[in-house]
Amino acid sequence: MSRFFTTGSDSESESSLSGDELVTKPVGGNFGKQPLLLSEDEEDTKRVVRSAKDKRFEELTNLIKTIRNAMKIRDVTKCLEEFELLCKAYGKAKSIVDKEGVPRFYIRILADLEDYLNELWEDKEGKKKMNKNNAKALSTLRQKIRKYNRDYEAQVTAYRQNPEQSADEDEDKKSDDSEGSSSSDDDDDEGMSAAAFLKKKEGAIEGRSKFLKKVEDEDEDSEESDDDEDWGSSGSESDSESDEDEGKYTSLASKFLKKPGTEEEKRVMEKKREEKAKKKQDRKSKRYEDDEDDNEGGEWEKVKGGVPLVKEKPKMFTKGTEINHAVVVKKLNEILQARGKKGTDRAAQIDLLQLLVGIAAENNLGVAIDVKIKFNIVASLYDYNPNLATYMKPEMWQKCLEYIDELLDILFANPDIFIGENIAEDSENLSNSEQPYRIRGCILTLVERMDEEFTKIMQNTDPHSQEYVDHLKDEARVCKIINRVQTYLQDKGTTDEICRVYLRCILHTYYKFDYKAHQRQQGPAGDSKSEQDQAENEAEDSAVLMERLCKFIYAKDRTDRIRTCAILCHIYHHALHDRWYQARDLMLMSHLQDNIQHADPPVQILYNRTMVQLGICAFRQGMIKDAHNALLDIQSSGRAKELLGQGLLMRSMQDRNQEQEKIEKRRQVPFHMHINLELLECVYLVSAMLLEIPYMAAHEFDARRRMISKQFHHQLRVGERQPLLGPPESMREHVVAASKAMKMGDWKTCHRFIVNEKMNGKVWDLFPEADKVRSMLVRKIQEESLRTYLFTYSSVYDSISMEILSDMFELDLPTVHSIISKMIINEELMASLDQPTQTVVMHRTEPTAQQNLALQLAEKLGSLVENNERVFDQKQGTYGGYFRDQKDGYRKNEGGYMRRGGYRQQERERNY
């Protein structure tokens, strides 16, 4: 029998005494939990041989334990896998089971698992929340367990009738088996069931709990040796009292009821409480005094809990050390070695680097070593947040800006310093002032990372708070740093670096409306009120700046991404300032729409923003069809918010996991760069209304009428389904009401719905030249209402005077004449103009409603006949008769109707 698992005999207890120290033997512990004090005895341990029964039953109990753990966390897939393994293991143990009988713990798991699966099956809400794999595993496992339990139906029923008795029998049987086996002690730990194992350990736990309780009391209540003597007496007294109490009380409840005590007993108890409280207070005061003494001595230091992963901080220089370049560089490398390691205190690392800068400055080691250390300080500030999703704290952000400004000041003041990523550390020159200083590093990389951190700060700040405004004020400082780096790189940088810094400057310029340039275009500038206004007026226009930067990138850039971004920003800036033709031509010449789907997501978001701005610009210029075409792709998808990088849609959250959601959030555009989505939708719906309503009136009876805008038709259907029509409130309701008025040719009502105080506040006042846009809208509504009126009521008139139309729609006569002439030329209106009388004479060639229906019926019957003839001819082996031309209809020839190809072929033969 192994000596590690014995409960301790007299001889062992005597031999275990060494001096005054007693090594206690853990009761019921296994080999893995032995204290390290017994490591010398491991050589004497003998190999234990177990029976086949114990091995098989241990395998079964381990699998059952795994199944129960999976049941606790509702992992049905794991339950299914382990159940299949359990069935296989039980099959291997079949010979042992035939001799010993089916073990109770096996019946218990079968019954519990079936009940558990039935519970899950009846929980309808829980089943809906299950993932696909668990739901599939649930149905499979439920069928398997029901089929499997048929062989053990009697045992399972007996267990369910009396589960407690079954558990006790199992424990008794297991304990008897373990006592009879040759390796009884090993079986106690490994070959027995879980319930029996737990029951046996209860006694040991109870015995140890008393001792632990008293140890706690010793820490809290006792410091004298008398308390040690009280433990044994108190334990014996409590045992004797419990034995006496067993026969005293008739019921368990009466034992715990409060008993009325005598006055003397009460006084004694009160006195004991007072003494105990006094002792406790004395101990507290004594501890406090000890702590103060320790603090005065200065030997103890309060540390954070846990195991320190970094053993100690790199120490600064010892006394008497000569501070020179080599020593400082060595110390710098020593500090940087901890960078990126798990458990490194990043704040302490930054403090050490700042201290090193001060030491270098005190010893006048030169600007080169100063630049090198500050490069590493900025890099450490960026590494302070290891998670990409988190952003810099405000104090770290301000430190970062200050250090970059200091770096730029040093670089401008010392033009003999050369920095670059390609300079190796071995070839650095930090000390020899006779030669140019060479330092490994890249100021552009630091500035690009700074710009990304600024974007991250704006993304993670509430846009409706004052904090966002405070952070936005830092953009001027960021732009100033970018301009300084741009100036520096124009002298010393490569072409690629200049293109990269130009793109950073463009990205901070393209979305801003230049009000000063706009005012200068409107008229001569008056006397400025302040010097700041004069300086801004004399500054370079944003249009000239964008033109200069973008043209340099077009000519010099060798990467497609930077050029693509520059083109899109240039188009966006043109469109924002109403330069429609330049923006349109640049978009068409670049051919970006052909391969933009292969670009990365940030560039695609920029493309979507540019197309939207292009559509809004076309709308302001009165190009309604171009505006609709530009906005169609974004608005028809129903995901404009997501495509523009202005937020995530809740309905598409289910398609993403948590990691994808984080990536999407990092792509979002900061709030101050957002495009107003309500303005965008309004512009699109008004453009669709001006195109769709005349088209619907012209093709009212056409069966093959196509939709120009599905979203606009959807809004019309929503408006028609409303049971109660009240005055419009939202922007969509205003557009729907205006569409209904335009359909009737009532342009004034349409105008009132489109241009009013509500719509001005929501949409039209957001444009730079709101009055100009409103006047353009009124004119477009008048013209399209005139066209709609003529399409709708042309069958009613024999002739109509253009003067009446001019008065009705408040348009001048040449405009009315122009609109009607275009309609006649495009064969939209079957009429002619009588110039002397200024009237429109209708030809009445438009079919009536009944004639339209007859024409539709004739067309459908013709197609039916044609299809039947084709089928008949295919069966006969010939194919003749009518041949439909794709564009020009039927063409007549001597031999009947022939296709366009055959017609042209015969003409060629005649020509030859």
Side-chain angles (χ1 to χ4, degrees):
M1 183 170 67
S2 176
R3 60 188 294 184
F4 293 109
F5 301 100
T6 57
T7 56
S9 63
D10 295 335
S11 60
E12 287 172 345
S13 62
E14 288 173 5
S15 62
S16 63
L17 289 169
S18 59
D20 297 332
E21 189 178 6
L22 178 64
V23 179
T24 57
K25 300 282 183 178
V27 180
N30 55 16
F31 182 82
K33 295 182 180 177
Q34 289 304 309
L36 296 174
L37 296 170
L38 300 175
S39 59
E40 295 176 0
D41 299 334
E42 287 177 3
E43 297 174 1
D44 301 332
T45 57
K46 295 179 181 179
R47 190 172 176 186
V48 178
V49 180
R50 291 185 296 157
S51 63
K53 173 190 170 184
D54 297 334
K55 289 180 182 177
R56 294 301 180 195
F57 278 21
E58 181 192 3
E59 187 180 0
L60 292 174
T61 50
N62 289 339
L63 289 168
I64 288 169
K65 187 178 178 183
T66 312
I67 290 173
R68 291 197 182 276
N69 289 339
M71 287 163 66
K72 286 176 187 174
I73 61 173
R74 298 173 68 94
D75 190 353
V76 188
T77 310
K78 185 71 175 174
C79 286
L80 177 59
E81 292 173 5
E82 295 299 323
F83 178 72
E84 289 173 351
L85 294 174
L86 182 67
C87 293
K88 288 179 183 176
Y90 185 77
K92 290 178 184 177
K94 187 69 175 168
S95 58
I96 296 166
V97 171
D98 292 340
K99 293 177 186 177
E100 303 290 335
V102 181
R104 291 282 182 176
F105 63 84
Y106 191 72
I107 298 299
R108 190 181 308 125
I109 190 61
L110 293 179
D112 292 349
L113 186 58
E114 187 175 7
D115 295 341
Y116 171 74
L117 294 173
N118 290 335
E119 245 178 75
L120 289 182
W121 189 263
E122 290 168 5
D123 184 11
K124 302 296 182 185
E125 294 297 325
K127 278 172 67 179
K128 288 179 184 176
K129 293 177 184 177
M130 275 188 183
N131 60 31
K132 191 176 179 181
N133 293 335
N134 268 352
K136 189 176 179 182
L138 176 62
S139 60
T140 307
L141 183 55
R142 185 168 171 268
Q143 290 174 359
K144 282 192 175 185
I145 194 75
R146 288 172 68 184
K147 186 177 179 182
Y148 192 81
N149 282 4
R150 288 173 192 164
D151 299 334
Y152 307 98
E153 195 169 352
Q155 292 97 320
V156 170
T157 308
Y159 167 74
R160 283 179 176 154
Q161 288 173 357
N162 196 354
E164 294 181 1
Q165 185 181 353
S166 301
D168 293 338
E169 287 174 7
D170 188 23
E171 291 163 12
D172 296 339
K173 186 177 179 182
K174 280 292 162 188
S175 61
D176 293 341
D177 291 342
S178 61
E179 287 171 5
S181 62
S182 60
S183 56
S184 59
D185 294 317
D186 296 333
D187 294 339
D188 287 342
D189 291 323
E190 298 174 351
M192 67 196 304
S193 68
F197 180 72
L198 291 172
K199 187 174 181 184
K200 185 170 180 181
K201 291 189 74 174
E202 283 175 5
I205 292 166
E206 285 175 6
R208 286 173 14 183
S209 65
K210 290 180 182 178
F211 177 73
L212 292 173
K213 180 81 167 57
K214 290 164 191 165
V215 173
E216 290 171 6
D217 293 340
E218 179 189 6
D219 293 338
E220 294 177 0
D221 302 334
S222 66
E223 287 179 350
E224 300 174 358
S225 60
D226 296 339
D227 294 333
D228 298 333
E229 295 171 4
D230 290 341
W231 294 345
S233 61
S234 62
S236 61
E237 285 170 8
S238 61
D239 292 340
S240 62
E241 285 172 7
S242 61
D243 293 338
E244 290 172 5
D245 291 344
E246 284 179 3
K248 191 183 290 185
Y249 300 104
T250 56
S251 67
L252 186 63
S254 62
K255 182 177 179 179
F256 298 100
L257 289 174
K258 189 174 181 181
K259 300 179 289 295
T262 62
E263 293 182 4
E264 188 177 350
E265 288 176 357
K266 289 179 182 177
R267 281 198 301 271
V268 171
M269 293 296 292
E270 190 68 30
K271 192 175 180 181
K272 282 184 180 179
R273 285 196 203 99
E274 288 175 2
E275 288 176 0
K276 193 173 181 180
K278 190 176 180 182
K279 280 183 182 180
K280 197 170 184 180
Q281 189 66 29
D282 292 342
R283 278 196 305 276
K284 281 185 180 177
S285 59
K286 192 174 180 182
R287 282 176 192 165
Y288 181 71
E289 288 171 5
D290 292 341
D291 290 342
E292 284 185 346
D293 293 340
D294 292 339
N295 291 334
E296 286 172 5
E299 296 176 359
W300 299 94
E301 181 184 355
K302 191 174 182 180
V303 296
K304 294 179 182 178
V307 180
L309 296 173
V310 178
K311 302 298 180 188
E312 58 180 9
K313 297 177 183 177
K315 294 178 181 177
M316 282 295 134
F317 311 104
T318 57
K319 287 184 180 180
T321 305
E322 183 185 354
I323 309 297
N324 54 29
H325 292 87
V327 172
V328 172
V329 170
K330 184 180 178 183
K331 181 57 64 176
L332 175 64
N333 292 330
E334 188 181 330
I335 295 169
L336 293 177
Q337 278 175 1
R339 181 181 171 188
K341 290 184 180 178
K342 188 177 180 183
T344 304
D345 189 350
R346 298 179 187 87
Q349 198 177 31
I350 294 167
D351 293 339
L352 286 172
L353 289 169
Q354 289 172 344
L355 185 60
L356 197 61
V357 169
I359 292 171
E362 285 173 9
N363 292 274
N364 298 321
L365 296 180
V367 291
I369 198 76
D370 199 17
V371 169
K372 183 171 179 63
I373 298 171
K374 284 181 178 177
F375 261 113
N376 287 294
I377 290 175
V378 178
S380 299
L381 287 168
Y382 291 145
D383 290 344
Y384 187 78
N385 291 324
N387 190 358
L388 284 173
T390 54
Y391 60 98
M392 267 190 176
K393 294 178 181 177
E395 58 271 14
M396 292 289 178
W397 169 246
Q398 294 301 328
K399 271 187 189 178
C400 179
L401 293 179
E402 287 169 9
Y403 277 111
I404 292 176
D405 269 329
E406 289 175 13
L407 270 173
L408 288 169
D409 290 338
I410 295 171
L411 291 174
F412 278 113
N414 300 275
D416 58 334
I417 296 177
F418 289 97
I419 57 173
E421 291 176 316
N422 301 324
I423 297 174
E425 290 187 3
D426 300 337
S427 62
E428 283 183 326
N429 177 24
L430 303 174
S431 56
N432 189 359
S433 58
E434 296 177 359
Q435 295 179 356
Y437 292 118
R438 292 168 59 82
I439 303 166
R440 179 180 174 80
C442 181
I443 188 68
L444 179 58
T445 305
L446 295 184
V447 171
E448 286 179 335
R449 182 71 189 273
M450 175 203 68
D451 195 21
E452 290 168 7
E453 287 293 336
F454 176 72
T455 305
K456 208 185 291 184
I457 289 171
M458 303 310 293
Q459 286 171 343
N460 289 278
T461 308
D462 180 15
H464 305 292
S465 64
Q466 183 61 34
E467 187 185 0
Y468 191 89
V469 179
D470 295 338
H471 285 316
L472 193 56
K473 290 175 184 175
D474 289 336
E475 191 185 13
R477 198 170 170 186
V478 170
C479 292
K480 186 178 176 184
I481 289 173
I482 291 173
N483 289 331
R484 292 185 71 189
V485 174
Q486 178 182 327
T487 307
Y488 177 78
L489 290 176
Q490 282 172 350
D491 294 335
K492 297 190 174 183
T494 62
T495 307
D496 293 341
E497 289 177 334
I498 294 172
C499 289
R500 282 163 61 190
V501 77
Y502 275 7
L503 181 63
R504 288 288 158 187
C505 189
I506 288 168
L507 290 173
H508 281 278
T509 309
Y510 81 98
Y511 64 90
K512 296 173 183 171
F513 188 80
D514 194 347
Y515 284 98
K516 296 291 181 184
H518 180 67
Q519 288 171 3
R520 286 196 291 271
Q521 285 178 0
Q522 295 299 315
D527 295 334
S528 298
K529 295 181 181 179
S530 64
E531 294 180 0
Q532 185 179 358
D533 290 340
Q534 289 178 359
E536 287 178 357
N537 285 329
E538 291 172 3
E540 188 178 20
D541 281 355
S542 62
V544 178
L545 176 66
M546 289 287 292
E547 190 80 17
R548 178 168 59 82
L549 299 180
C550 291
K551 282 190 174 179
F552 182 88
I553 291 175
Y554 300 157
K556 305 289 185 182
D557 179 57
R558 291 181 294 180
T559 61
D560 288 337
R561 191 182 187 280
I562 292 178
R563 188 188 299 111
T564 302
C565 290
I567 292 171
L568 290 171
C569 292
H570 203 182
I571 295 168
Y572 190 105
H573 193 263
H574 279 317
L576 189 64
H577 293 83
D578 287 335
R579 295 189 287 272
W580 156 249
Y581 291 104
Q582 291 96 314
R584 183 198 65 181
D585 294 345
L586 190 56
M587 176 61 82
L588 293 175
M589 285 190 296
S590 64
H591 295 285
L592 288 176
Q593 59 272 23
D594 297 338
N595 53 8
I596 194 64
Q597 66 271 15
H598 303 301
D600 53 338
V603 177
Q604 290 186 12
I605 289 172
L606 181 58
Y607 174 80
N608 293 337
R609 285 166 54 78
T610 304
M611 287 302 297
V612 163
Q613 199 59 248
L614 202 60
I616 294 172
C617 173
F619 181 82
R620 287 197 299 265
Q621 298 297 314
M623 313 284 185
I624 302 299
K625 196 167 186 180
D626 292 323
H628 180 268
N629 292 337
L631 301 176
L632 179 63
D633 290 337
I634 301 294
Q635 285 298 124
S636 61
S637 65
R639 298 186 302 126
K641 185 178 182 181
E642 197 171 351
L643 292 174
L644 296 175
Q646 296 182 189
L648 301 177
L649 297 176
M650 294 303 295
R651 65 171 178 237
S652 59
M653 288 290 192
Q654 300 169 356
D655 303 335
R656 300 188 189 92
N657 56 31
Q658 199 170 4
E659 193 62 32
Q660 288 173 333
E661 188 178 335
K662 286 179 184 176
I663 294 169
E664 288 288 338
K665 282 182 179 176
R666 287 202 294 272
R667 290 174 185 154
Q668 300 304 299
V669 177
F671 184 77
H672 63 279
M673 298 170 64
H674 280 195
I675 297 169
N676 191 317
L677 293 175
E678 191 172 18
L679 179 144
L680 172 62
E681 188 178 9
C682 181
V683 166
Y684 175 74
L685 289 177
V686 170
S687 302
M689 177 190 77
L690 294 174
L691 293 173
E692 192 78 64
I693 297 299
Y695 182 81
M696 289 168 66
H699 301 83
E700 188 175 0
F701 301 106
D702 191 354
R704 296 184 179 181
R705 184 181 68 197
R706 61 181 178 84
M707 286 189 290
I708 296 175
S709 170
K710 288 184 180 179
Q711 191 182 5
F712 177 72
H713 276 274
H714 173 69
Q715 295 300 332
L716 286 181
R717 284 194 296 272
V718 169
E720 289 170 0
R721 283 200 297 266
Q722 286 183 351
L724 197 63
L725 284 176
E729 294 181 1
S730 66
M731 176 271 300
R732 293 173 181 174
E733 290 176 357
H734 276 89
V735 175
V736 170
S739 302
K740 291 178 180 177
M742 183 184 277
K743 203 183 278 187
M744 305 301 293
D746 187 358
W747 76 271
K748 289 184 178 177
T749 308
C750 177
H751 170 236
R752 278 200 304 274
F753 282 128
I754 293 293
V755 181
N756 52 50
E757 288 184 5
K758 259 188 188 177
M759 293 292 283
N760 287 342
K762 286 183 178 180
V763 181
W764 309 126
D765 286 343
L766 302 177
F767 287 120
E769 296 179 355
D771 294 332
K772 197 173 176 182
V773 173
R774 280 192 283 265
S775 61
M776 178 275 297
L777 264 176
V778 173
R779 186 173 182 83
K780 288 291 178 183
I781 288 170
Q782 289 171 334
E783 291 176 358
E784 297 304 324
S785 298
L786 170 60
R787 295 181 73 237
T788 306
Y789 184 84
L790 289 173
F791 283 136
T792 307
Y793 300 109
S794 61
S795 58
V796 177
Y797 289 98
D798 286 330
S799 63
I800 185 169
S801 172
M802 283 194 286
E803 291 181 1
I804 294 173
L805 292 174
S806 176
D807 294 339
M808 188 185 297
F809 293 96
E810 296 183 9
L811 291 167
D812 52 346
L813 201 59
T815 306
V816 175
H817 186 276
S818 171
I819 292 169
I820 295 174
S821 299
K822 283 180 185 175
M823 292 173 70
I824 293 172
I825 290 168
N826 294 331
E827 296 183 359
E828 294 174 337
L829 184 67
M830 297 302 172
S832 58
L833 287 173
D834 189 5
Q835 291 291 344
T837 57
Q838 291 290 305
T839 57
V840 182
V841 181
M842 302 298 174
H843 290 174
R844 294 232 174 230
T845 55
E846 289 86 358
T848 61
Q850 188 176 3
Q851 289 170 341
N852 269 314
L853 289 172
L855 287 171
Q856 290 175 24
L857 179 62
E859 189 175 354
K860 288 178 181 177
L861 287 172
S863 62
L864 180 65
V865 169
E866 186 178 351
N867 289 334
N868 285 339
E869 286 188 355
R870 282 178 180 171
V871 171
F872 180 75
D873 289 342
Q874 284 173 1
K875 287 182 180 180
Q876 296 295 326
T878 58
Y879 190 65
Y882 293 89
F883 291 86
R884 183 77 173 179
D885 188 26
Q886 291 179 355
K887 290 184 179 178
D888 301 331
Y890 297 103
R891 291 188 179 274
K892 178 75 175 172
N893 198 14
E894 292 177 1
Y897 291 91
M898 298 189 69
R899 280 188 185 274
R900 185 175 56 185
Y903 180 78
R904 286 180 177 172
Q905 189 176 356
Q906 287 194 1
E907 283 198 342
R908 288 193 197 114
E909 290 173 359
R910 287 177 188 171
N911 292 336
Y912 285 108

